[in-house]
């Protein structure tokens, strides 16, 4: 039973891996005059991004590819040195021969890589791709670049060695010269070759980059440690409004009691004279004895 269970798990894992893959693709190489063409024939439209570093053309796929690029590599001898599948088919690396350059485009469900010497003109990319406006905003703590795509598209952001590379997984045209004029001092932007637009930003100092999606828009925020923080407001909060208390009711007016009404014809009582003080009759003084006038 244990072996049966392990076998079922292995089969299920293989089935999931095959379902996740993009399906088998065919690598075809052809040479005409002074140009060469690598075609990746796919059964359906495959989302991908492309970048070029030196002579290396890097195509990234999600889900990964399955196929054998050896026949195409042999047919393109003199134009490419190697075509390799890496990361389980998620990455295709095309190493160009010295003096060659490449342009990537999509034709139906096929992915086409045009290869030619640097002094030979490559086929122009179709002009049907929409124009993607790029806006630059300055903020107290960061600078922002917004790509206004008309619909939701995939993108990939890689930051290394003082450079940020952003590639989009849909055709479009970006006015790189106008974008460069609007960037802050110290920034430099260049376009990447490919069927889908891509940009490389040379970053000044210790700038960090963060990508985000706002609906169909792709946003890149460039943060510099030296940017001043937003000053805090020092304004005092407004004083509370004093509301007047309700006025006190006026004190009641005290009215003196009414005097009794006088009766007509009533006589006023006569004033009683104050009693006279009764004097005490003075008693007559006793006569004093006369001294004798002579002897008897």
């Amino acid at each position: 039973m244990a072996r049966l269970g392990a076998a079922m798990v292995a089969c299920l894992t293989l089935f999931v891996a095959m379902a996740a893959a993009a399906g088998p693709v065919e690598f075809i190489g052809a040479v005409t005059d002074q140009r060469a063409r690598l075609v990746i024939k796919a059964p359906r439209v495959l989302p991908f991004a492309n970048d070029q570093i030196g002579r290396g053309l890097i195509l990234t796929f999600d889900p990964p590819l399955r196929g054998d690029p050896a026949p195409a590599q042999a047919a393109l001898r003199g134009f490419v040195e190697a075509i390799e599948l890496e990361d389980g088919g998620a990455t295709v690396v095309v190493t160009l021969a010295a003096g060659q350059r490449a342009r990537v485009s999509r034709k139906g469900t096929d992915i086409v890589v045009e290869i030619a010497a640097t002094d030979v003109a490559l086929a122009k990319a179709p002009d049907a791709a929409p124009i993607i406006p790029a806006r630059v905003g300055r903020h107290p703590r960061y600078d922002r670049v917004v790509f206004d795509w008309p619909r939701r598209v995939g993108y990939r952001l890689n930051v290394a060695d003082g450079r940020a590379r952003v590639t989009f997984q849909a055709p479009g045209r970006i006015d790189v010269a106008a974008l460069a004029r609007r960037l802050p001092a110290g920034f430099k932007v260049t376009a990447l070759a490919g069927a889908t637009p891509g940009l490389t930003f040379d970053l000044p100092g210790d700038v960090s980059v963060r990508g985000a999606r706002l609906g169909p828009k792709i946003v890149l925020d460039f943060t510099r440690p030296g940017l001043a923080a937003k000053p805090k407001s020092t304004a005092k909060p407004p004083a509370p409004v004093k509301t007047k208390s309700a006025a006190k009711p006026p004190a009641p007016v005290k009215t003196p009691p009414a005097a009794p009404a006088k009766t007509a014809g009533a006589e006023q009582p006569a004033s009683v004279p104050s009693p006279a003080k009764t004097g005490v009759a003075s008693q007559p003084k006793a006569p004093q004895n006369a001294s004798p006038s002579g002897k008897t």
Side-chain angles (χ1 to χ4, degrees), residues 269-291:
S271 58
V272 179
S274 57
K277 293 182 179 180
T278 306
V280 178
S282 60
Q283 294 180 0
K285 295 181 179 180
Q288 295 181 356
N289 293 328
S291 57

Side-chain angles (χ1 to χ4, degrees), residues 175-204:
D175 190 342
V176 181
L179 174 60
R181 290 193 297 268
R182 291 191 291 266
L183 287 175
F187 284 81
K188 182 181 178 182
V189 60
T190 55
L192 295 173
T196 58
L199 301 172
T200 297
F201 292 88
D202 291 341
L203 307 177

